[in-house]
Amino acid sequence: MTCYDRRDLGLLLLRLGIGGVLAAHGSQKLFGWFGGGGVEGTGQFMESVGYTPGKACAMASGLAEAGGGTLLALGLATPAAGAAAAGGMTGASAVHAPNGFFAQEGGFEYPATLGLAAAGLAVAGPGRLSLDHALGHVFDRGWMVPAALGVTAAVTAVVVGARNQRVRRQAEGEGEQEALFEE
């Protein structure tokens, strides 16, 4: 008989809490559940904050959050699930960063916390109360952690970097005024 320890129970609670929140958050984007905009509404929002094309970005973000969160909660493919969710939350943090850190001011506190917790779970592993453990860790090998986090970091850097350039160009364009009269 297997005796589960505090670490296994703690990881289960963390996975269920973080994974559940991420899954619900992603479901807003994908399906419009829980008051969300669905792919159409979220796509329009994504375009307005510099992520283009909006619908594709909404799908990617929704899948990273809903898929990553569901897999984290189940403790399945934990390195990939945590990395995907962390990447999605990095994209959200970029949108909120100009407002500072604290959520009450519209800052990035909330997405950063979710992203760091997801990345921490990717690194720590799911514990013994997980599908990864039940399946012999076939989707949770040691080499998968740096691979998943590295690939996600590279893709996220490209996507967020391109978004930041678009936002910067747009802000510079809005600052310019056309001359009212020609000289």
Side-chain angles (χ1 to χ4, degrees):
M1 182 169 195
T2 303
C3 181
Y4 300 107
D5 61 16
R6 290 177 17 197
R7 181 180 181 277
D8 294 316
L9 292 173
L11 287 170
L12 175 65
L13 288 173
L14 204 66
R15 284 191 356 257
L16 290 174
I18 297 299
V21 168
L22 285 164
H25 199 65
S27 295
Q28 291 179 306
K29 289 176 174 66
L30 293 176
F31 311 116
W33 297 350
F34 314 114
V39 173
E40 197 66 41
T42 303
Q44 291 171 4
F45 171 74
M46 292 288 216
E47 290 267 351
S48 77
V49 295
Y51 286 111
T52 60
K55 282 177 91 170
C57 290
M59 285 293 291
S61 179
L63 287 172
E65 293 170 14
T70 299
L71 291 173
L72 279 175
L74 296 170
L76 181 62
T78 304
M89 291 296 97
T90 300
S93 292
V95 171
H96 293 278
N99 300 322
F101 177 72
F102 293 104
Q104 68 193 27
E105 302 295 325
F108 66 97
E109 174 185 19
Y110 180 65
T113 300
L114 289 175
L116 287 169
L121 286 166
V123 172
R128 291 184 290 174
L129 294 169
S130 66
L131 288 178
D132 274 337
H133 181 75
L135 297 172
H137 295 277
V138 296
F139 302 113
D140 180 34
R141 304 276 187 216
W143 64 266
M144 293 175 181
V145 175
L149 290 172
V151 168
T152 301
V155 170
T156 302
V158 168
V159 171
V160 171
R163 178 255 174 202
N164 289 346
Q165 284 181 340
R166 275 190 293 279
V167 169
R168 199 172 308 115
R169 278 195 309 268
Q170 183 181 4
E172 289 169 359
E174 289 175 0
E176 297 175 10
Q177 287 186 330
E178 291 184 34
L180 292 176
F181 304 102
E182 289 186 33
E183 293 182 32

